Amino acid sequence: MKRKILLGVVVSILSFGIVGCQSSVKDNNKEVKEAYENLLNKEKKYEYVKEVLSDGLYTEEYRHIPNRMYRLDAYNKDNKLESRDIGNEKEFTSLFKDENGEWIGYKEEYADSVIKENEKRNSTSVIDSACRKNISSIIDNDYVSKEKVDGLIVYSDDKNNFVYVDPNTNMISKVKFSEKNKDNIIEYEFKTSDNIDKKDLSINASNKENIDLSKIKIEDRGKQEGMEGTSVG
């Protein structure tokens, strides 16, 4: 009789442990989906998106959606600035290094044929696009662990993807993929704000190398012609 009672206790403990684990995963899944929906549903005025590729290259994009303005910086794996594009639906300026590593630049007005397309593109949230295109595929996974790291709640799924949630906003602030996706992306980082510093959208905005981009000679190429113009940003 004693042996049966002990066996029953062990079975009960094991059963409780399994149910408890499943409940925890269920809660994690619910919290991740909620943070994802909160990020999508957030009214975005100013946003920042960092996109990291598998070879270590990454871009940082700053976008002011109401004014349809953007700044896009590209860095190499050593955190060296390689290029900067800035503009709106009507014009853009591009700075980059030539074959000798010297900084050069030019500015152009878009062709009339692409301005309307740019208006739509530049008023679209980059965060929402990234979520629907790449992050949505992992949101329904089972998130088996949850921990707090550097003030963020980090969830990891059974495929070793990581979702970081800011507890202050209850929105996703970072995602790390276990393997590169079809766009060669392994990581995203997001920030949103209702306010913007105009300096963030200027050619002279700060950069990790503290390069003074104001001294670069910029060629004025005038207005693009016909359908040959391509949008940037």
Side-chain angles (χ1 to χ4, degrees):
M1 179 65 71
K2 185 175 181 180
R3 184 177 180 183
K4 288 183 178 180
I5 293 174
L6 289 173
L7 182 60
V9 172
V10 171
V11 171
S12 298
I13 292 173
L14 288 175
S15 298
F16 176 80
I18 292 172
V19 172
C21 180
Q22 289 176 336
S23 175
S24 177
V25 171
K26 184 178 179 180
D27 290 343
N28 291 347
N29 294 347
K30 180 181 178 181
E31 290 166 8
V32 168
K33 288 178 183 178
E34 185 178 278
Y36 174 75
E37 293 297 329
N38 288 343
L39 180 62
L40 277 179
N41 294 330
K42 166 74 174 176
E43 182 182 0
K44 303 172 186 71
K45 294 181 179 179
Y46 170 63
E47 59 183 17
Y48 162 88
V49 177
K50 182 178 180 180
E51 189 178 277
V52 183
L53 305 182
S54 60
D55 56 7
L57 304 181
Y58 65 94
T59 60
E60 292 183 322
E61 182 161 2
Y62 302 77
R63 183 164 296 215
H64 189 216
I65 295 176
N67 290 343
R68 298 189 287 272
M69 296 178 66
Y70 69 88
R71 184 185 112 217
L72 180 65
D73 291 350
Y75 287 87
N76 64 25
K77 60 183 179 181
D78 298 317
N79 291 319
K80 302 291 186 182
L81 183 66
E82 293 293 326
S83 67
R84 170 169 288 177
D85 294 324
I86 188 168
N88 52 43
E89 75 273 19
K90 295 182 179 180
E91 61 184 8
F92 72 95
T93 300
S94 184
L95 304 179
F96 52 93
K97 294 177 182 178
D98 63 15
E99 60 274 12
N100 298 316
E102 298 295 326
W103 280 93
I104 58 175
Y106 69 92
K107 63 179 179 179
E108 282 187 2
E109 293 180 46
Y110 287 113
D112 294 336
S113 56
V114 298
I115 289 179
K116 282 196 173 182
E117 177 188 341
N118 287 343
E119 287 178 353
K120 182 178 179 181
R121 180 197 299 269
N122 292 357
S123 59
T124 299
S125 166
V126 183
I127 292 177
D128 291 358
S129 298
C131 283
R132 294 192 170 98
K133 186 177 181 181
N134 292 311
I135 297 175
S136 60
S137 62
I138 70 167
I139 291 302
D140 289 327
N141 293 353
D142 282 332
Y143 286 85
V144 296
S145 75
K146 170 184 175 182
E147 61 180 329
K148 194 165 186 178
V149 179
D150 295 331
L152 299 176
I153 308 300
V154 184
Y155 301 83
S156 61
D157 66 11
D158 50 357
K159 297 180 175 64
N160 211 33
N161 296 299
F162 293 87
V163 173
Y164 296 69
V165 174
D166 185 340
N168 296 316
T169 61
N170 197 24
M171 296 191 300
I172 292 176
S173 61
K174 183 191 286 189
V175 173
K176 288 186 178 181
F177 300 102
S178 59
E179 57 184 31
K180 64 182 180 182
N181 58 29
K182 61 184 179 181
D183 294 323
N184 207 32
I185 299 167
I186 60 169
E187 182 180 326
Y188 280 112
E189 186 176 330
F190 305 125
K191 293 178 185 176
T192 65
S193 175
D194 292 332
N195 302 310
I196 184 172
D197 187 335
K198 291 183 178 180
K199 292 180 180 178
D200 286 342
L201 294 174
S202 73
I203 283 295
N204 300 326
S206 62
N207 56 81
K208 292 180 175 63
E209 294 184 88
N210 293 317
I211 300 172
D212 187 355
L213 298 176
S214 65
K215 296 181 179 180
I216 298 172
K217 185 177 181 181
I218 298 176
E219 175 190 359
D220 189 347
R221 296 184 178 179
K223 193 178 183 70
Q224 297 174 342
E225 297 181 5
M227 294 297 293
E228 296 180 358
T230 55
S231 60
V232 177

